[in-house]
Amino acid sequence: MNRFYLLLVAVALIGGGVLWFGSRRQPAPPATAPIPIAAADGFHGFTLGSDSAKVEVTEYSDFECPFCASFATVQMPVIRQQLITTGKVRWRYRDFPLPVHQYSRYAALAAQCAGEQGKFWEMHDQLFSNHQWAQTGKNPASLFRDFARTIGLDIDKYDACVDGQRYAGRIQASVQEGEALGVRGTPSFFVGGQLFQGRATSDDFKALFDSLSKTRK
Amino acid sequence: MIRRQAIVVLALVGLLVATYLWLYKIGVLGELQCGTGSCEYVQTSPYADVLGIPVAFLGVLGYLALFVLGLVGLQPRFVADRRVALSLAALATLGFAFTLYLTAIELFVLHAICRWCVGSAVIMTAIWGLALMGLARTPSAAAPPR
């Protein structure tokens, strides 16, 4: 019997030690190094919807921004269903990671790397639908890899892309273009090239698009 | 006796696993070591809490109860006590049912697997099997006289 209790103590010590040691191994921190100045690769954001849509909306957004998450999860599904899939509107997503957010640039990088494999919008949805990561303050690198696996990315390619900051220049270019257009916060919208000043709700967008569509007929 | 010892050891391992996941959940650990699984995806999903209580903490309580009950059941005067065998079987059945629910959520709702959760599910299933065998082999007449 005494051997049994010794075994219990050994399991507790070894198991506790393994878990403690394992928890101390952290992944490489998200990119905080200076970002290279705009790489002009001619990229102007991922789009949703028909190229023949009469109206285009450009959204400047930040994956860590709670208002952007709220818009993406509450308003955007309605906009997709009523305006984008019906061919009325084409939607363009531009990155505008705010400097106050610790991981938003890293999230933008993860989304760009998903986009490289044709799954930008799937990663976009993961980042906004599971937005708890933005409130915990924890390094989200491992969670983003989970998202990448969930949406079926080739994880080796994803890792290489993120670790190499392959699209950091593209993200910075998007920020610079947004600043030049007058973007000051997120989410900001441009409808037909004009800054949208209304409320970011699907109803307001629908009313605006309806009026624009009529005037353009 | 051997079965109860095995239950105690398994409950201790399960307690360590659940504690690890709970410490992550409350922010003490910054990252889960998960290999190729989707631990953080599962652990940060809405299903990682039940009525506001982290599932991992429920696991800590469950394994702790099994561990303590198993240790009590190893004491000579309780070895043949059917009440202990019955309590272990009931608690293990509750844990096993909860494990089935969580595994179904992973497979059919989240479409993601957390390796630590799978480990816990295996441990709970083994405890459940051992507890049921223990109950079947503990005759009701063996209860100690008052």
Side-chain angles (χ1 to χ4, degrees), chain B residues 3-4 82 85-86 89 128-140:
Chain B
R3 272 187 297 275
R4 287 224 176 127
R82 187 169 171 81
L86 196 58
W128 180 64
L130 288 166
L132 287 189
M133 279 194 280
L135 180 64
R137 297 189 183 196
T138 307
S140 50

Short mmCIF file of all heavy atoms in Angstrom, two decimals, chain B residues 3-4 82 85-86 89 128-140:
data_model
loop_
_atom_site.label_atom_id
_atom_site.label_comp_id
_atom_site.label_asym_id
_atom_site.label_seq_id
_atom_site.Cartn_x
_atom_site.Cartn_y
_atom_site.Cartn_z
N ARG B 3 -8.62 -2.10 -8.78
CA ARG B 3 -9.47 -1.20 -9.59
C ARG B 3 -9.58 0.17 -8.93
O ARG B 3 -9.51 1.19 -9.59
CB ARG B 3 -10.87 -1.82 -9.77
CG ARG B 3 -10.98 -2.74 -10.97
CD ARG B 3 -12.42 -3.16 -11.18
NE ARG B 3 -12.92 -3.93 -10.05
CZ ARG B 3 -12.75 -5.24 -9.91
NH1 ARG B 3 -12.12 -5.92 -10.84
NH2 ARG B 3 -13.21 -5.86 -8.86
N ARG B 4 -9.76 0.19 -7.62
CA ARG B 4 -9.87 1.49 -6.94
C ARG B 4 -8.55 2.24 -7.00
O ARG B 4 -8.54 3.47 -7.15
CB ARG B 4 -10.27 1.27 -5.47
CG ARG B 4 -11.70 0.85 -5.34
CD ARG B 4 -12.44 1.58 -4.25
NE ARG B 4 -13.81 1.14 -4.30
CZ ARG B 4 -14.49 0.66 -3.27
NH1 ARG B 4 -13.94 0.62 -2.07
NH2 ARG B 4 -15.74 0.28 -3.42
N ARG B 82 -20.39 -1.18 -0.29
CA ARG B 82 -21.10 -0.97 -1.55
C ARG B 82 -21.46 0.51 -1.77
O ARG B 82 -21.58 0.97 -2.89
CB ARG B 82 -22.37 -1.84 -1.59
CG ARG B 82 -23.07 -1.80 -2.94
CD ARG B 82 -24.13 -2.86 -3.04
NE ARG B 82 -24.93 -2.69 -4.24
CZ ARG B 82 -24.59 -3.08 -5.45
NH1 ARG B 82 -23.44 -3.70 -5.62
NH2 ARG B 82 -25.37 -2.89 -6.50
N ALA B 85 -18.70 2.07 -3.62
CA ALA B 85 -18.71 1.62 -5.01
C ALA B 85 -19.84 2.28 -5.79
O ALA B 85 -19.67 2.70 -6.95
CB ALA B 85 -18.86 0.09 -5.05
N LEU B 86 -20.99 2.41 -5.12
CA LEU B 86 -22.14 3.03 -5.77
C LEU B 86 -21.87 4.51 -6.04
O LEU B 86 -22.18 5.04 -7.13
CB LEU B 86 -23.38 2.86 -4.87
CG LEU B 86 -24.74 3.10 -5.50
CD1 LEU B 86 -24.97 2.17 -6.69
CD2 LEU B 86 -25.85 2.90 -4.46
N ALA B 89 -19.46 4.87 -8.89
CA ALA B 89 -20.11 4.56 -10.18
C ALA B 89 -21.03 5.71 -10.60
O ALA B 89 -21.06 6.09 -11.78
CB ALA B 89 -20.89 3.26 -10.08
N TRP B 128 -14.93 5.35 -15.59
CA TRP B 128 -16.33 4.89 -15.61
C TRP B 128 -16.39 3.36 -15.72
O TRP B 128 -17.13 2.69 -14.98
CB TRP B 128 -17.03 5.53 -16.81
CG TRP B 128 -18.46 5.16 -16.99
CD1 TRP B 128 -19.50 5.43 -16.14
CD2 TRP B 128 -19.04 4.46 -18.10
NE1 TRP B 128 -20.67 4.95 -16.66
CE2 TRP B 128 -20.42 4.35 -17.86
CE3 TRP B 128 -18.52 3.94 -19.28
CZ2 TRP B 128 -21.29 3.73 -18.76
CZ3 TRP B 128 -19.39 3.32 -20.18
CH2 TRP B 128 -20.76 3.22 -19.90
N GLY B 129 -15.60 2.81 -16.62
CA GLY B 129 -15.58 1.35 -16.79
C GLY B 129 -15.13 0.64 -15.52
O GLY B 129 -15.75 -0.33 -15.06
N LEU B 130 -14.07 1.16 -14.90
CA LEU B 130 -13.56 0.55 -13.67
C LEU B 130 -14.57 0.66 -12.54
O LEU B 130 -14.75 -0.27 -11.74
CB LEU B 130 -12.24 1.25 -13.28
CG LEU B 130 -11.03 0.94 -14.15
CD1 LEU B 130 -9.90 1.93 -13.89
CD2 LEU B 130 -10.56 -0.50 -13.90
N ALA B 131 -15.23 1.83 -12.47
CA ALA B 131 -16.21 2.03 -11.39
C ALA B 131 -17.39 1.08 -11.55
O ALA B 131 -17.89 0.54 -10.56
CB ALA B 131 -16.67 3.49 -11.39
N LEU B 132 -17.84 0.89 -12.78
CA LEU B 132 -18.96 -0.03 -13.01
C LEU B 132 -18.56 -1.47 -12.68
O LEU B 132 -19.34 -2.22 -12.07
CB LEU B 132 -19.44 0.06 -14.46
CG LEU B 132 -20.22 1.32 -14.86
CD1 LEU B 132 -20.80 1.15 -16.26
CD2 LEU B 132 -21.33 1.63 -13.87
N MET B 133 -17.35 -1.84 -13.08
CA MET B 133 -16.87 -3.19 -12.75
C MET B 133 -16.78 -3.36 -11.23
O MET B 133 -17.15 -4.38 -10.67
CB MET B 133 -15.49 -3.43 -13.38
CG MET B 133 -15.56 -3.81 -14.85
SD MET B 133 -14.00 -4.46 -15.43
CE MET B 133 -13.09 -2.97 -15.69
N GLY B 134 -16.29 -2.31 -10.59
CA GLY B 134 -16.17 -2.35 -9.13
C GLY B 134 -17.53 -2.50 -8.47
O GLY B 134 -17.69 -3.27 -7.51
N LEU B 135 -18.51 -1.80 -9.01
CA LEU B 135 -19.86 -1.89 -8.44
C LEU B 135 -20.43 -3.29 -8.63
O LEU B 135 -21.04 -3.87 -7.72
CB LEU B 135 -20.77 -0.85 -9.11
CG LEU B 135 -22.21 -0.82 -8.64
CD1 LEU B 135 -22.30 -0.42 -7.17
CD2 LEU B 135 -23.05 0.13 -9.48
N ALA B 136 -20.20 -3.85 -9.83
CA ALA B 136 -20.74 -5.18 -10.12
C ALA B 136 -20.12 -6.24 -9.23
O ALA B 136 -20.76 -7.25 -8.90
CB ALA B 136 -20.50 -5.51 -11.59
N ARG B 137 -18.90 -6.01 -8.81
CA ARG B 137 -18.20 -7.03 -8.01
C ARG B 137 -18.23 -6.74 -6.52
O ARG B 137 -17.55 -7.40 -5.76
CB ARG B 137 -16.76 -7.14 -8.48
CG ARG B 137 -16.72 -7.61 -9.92
CD ARG B 137 -15.34 -7.94 -10.38
NE ARG B 137 -15.39 -8.31 -11.79
CZ ARG B 137 -14.43 -8.94 -12.41
NH1 ARG B 137 -13.35 -9.29 -11.76
NH2 ARG B 137 -14.53 -9.23 -13.68
N THR B 138 -18.99 -5.73 -6.13
CA THR B 138 -19.13 -5.47 -4.70
C THR B 138 -20.53 -5.88 -4.28
O THR B 138 -21.50 -5.19 -4.58
CB THR B 138 -18.93 -3.97 -4.39
OG1 THR B 138 -17.69 -3.54 -4.95
CG2 THR B 138 -18.94 -3.71 -2.89
N PRO B 139 -20.68 -7.03 -3.65
CA PRO B 139 -22.03 -7.49 -3.29
C PRO B 139 -22.67 -6.60 -2.25
O PRO B 139 -21.99 -6.05 -1.37
CB PRO B 139 -21.77 -8.90 -2.74
CG PRO B 139 -20.35 -8.90 -2.30
CD PRO B 139 -19.62 -7.94 -3.20
N SER B 140 -23.99 -6.46 -2.37
CA SER B 140 -24.68 -5.57 -1.44
C SER B 140 -24.59 -6.10 -0.02
O SER B 140 -24.62 -5.34 0.94
CB SER B 140 -26.14 -5.41 -1.86
OG SER B 140 -26.70 -6.67 -2.08
#
